[in-house]
């Protein structure tokens, strides 16, 4: 039986990581890497063709499943942009869930990337287009929105509500019952014990009173 055909959108380091995991741990065969023409600087990646988005769109969309392999740049806005692009065009998209991970999820959307040794506890709902790096822990009864990035060893306690386009740094952690507003950035090694408003930058050393509630360094347009 032939493998299912996968097209990976992206040709960066993140796309290479996605390629490795799908090749080693899934029943998909990667047919193409796809990128906007202006970002293509090589014809192949791991002996797989890199083709332009314009060229790919001429193929029969029912022939391929898509995975959007873009990291947390600009608080995940680029990944969101192309997820919406392909989703609106009714392309098939898939999740990657590493076989060593424990995903006792009640609901999971699409284009989620769940790496090795991730634990997603029971009754947690995962929406679309999230990345869970190795060893991250998502507790019970949580709601995780869209386009979020959880770095290695990030820990979310139970009954939390993570909105959209958030970033959790390495070893960051969240107390139970906390809501995190969209476009929030939790720096590495930070413990969050209170609700965060939308567009919060959280670093208790740099910003102990959370006076900064909008980003100076990210263009979120």
């Amino acid at each position: 039986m032939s493998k299912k055909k996968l097209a990976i959108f992206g040709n960066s380091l993140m796309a290479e990581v996605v390629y490795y995991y799908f090749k080693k741990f899934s029943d998909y065969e990667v047919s193409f890497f796809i990128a906007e023409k202006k970002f293509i600087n090589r014809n192949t990646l791991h002996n797989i063709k890199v083709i332009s988005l314009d060229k790919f769109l001429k193929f029969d969309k029912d022939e391929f499943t898509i995975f959007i392999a873009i990291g947390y740049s600009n608080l995940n806005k680029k990944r969101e942009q192309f997820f919406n692009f392909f989703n609106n065009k009714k392309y098939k998209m898939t999740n990657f869930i590493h076989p060593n991970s424990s995903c006792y999820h009640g609901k999971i959307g699409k284009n989620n990337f769940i790496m090795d040794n991730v634990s997603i506890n029971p009754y947690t709902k995962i929406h679309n287009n999230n990345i869970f790096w190795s060893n991250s822990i998502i507790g019970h009864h949580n709601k995780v929105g869209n386009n979020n990035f959880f770095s290695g060893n990030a820990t979310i306690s139970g009954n939390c509500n993570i909105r959209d386009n958030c970033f959790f740094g390495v070893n960051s952690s969240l107390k139970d019952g906390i809501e995190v507003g969209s476009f929030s950035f939790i720096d590495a090694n930070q413990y969050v014990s209170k609700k965060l408003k939308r567009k919060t930058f959280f670093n208790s050393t740099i910003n102990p009173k959370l006076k900064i509630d909008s980003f100076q360094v990210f263009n979120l347009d």
Side-chain angles (χ1 to χ4, degrees), residues 75 164-166 180-185 196-202 207 210-216 218-221:
L75 279 178
D164 300 332
N165 295 81
C166 296
V180 177
S182 296
F183 299 105
S184 289
F185 185 103
L196 299 183
K197 296 187 296 183
R198 191 175 188 271
K199 295 186 178 180
T200 296
F201 171 78
F202 189 93
N207 184 26
L210 291 181
K211 288 183 179 179
I212 303 172
D213 63 2
S214 63
F215 283 95
Q216 307 298 317
F218 291 102
N219 176 11
L220 299 178
D221 295 334

Side-chain angles (χ1 to χ4, degrees), residues 45-79:
L45 181 59
H46 297 288
N47 296 316
I48 306 294
K49 285 186 177 180
V50 180
I51 65 172
S52 70
L53 176 58
D54 290 343
K55 183 175 181 179
F56 179 75
L57 292 175
K58 295 176 182 178
F59 298 150
D60 181 359
K61 70 178 180 181
D62 294 327
E63 189 177 350
F64 299 96
T65 298
I66 300 287
F67 192 88
I68 314 299
I70 299 175
Y72 57 84
S73 175
N74 206 31
L75 279 178
N76 308 291
K77 285 291 290 182
K78 292 297 291 184
R79 194 168 76 255

Side-chain angles (χ1 to χ4, degrees), residues 95-97 101-109 112 114 119-127 132 138-142:
N95 296 307
F96 175 84
I97 302 176
S101 290
S102 301
C103 297
Y104 307 103
H105 49 76
K107 178 182 177 183
I108 187 167
N112 293 291
I114 300 172
S119 178
I120 298 177
N121 291 180
Y123 308 110
T124 283
K125 295 181 179 180
I126 308 293
H127 286 81
F132 301 87
I138 312 297
H140 64 92
H141 293 90
N142 284 309

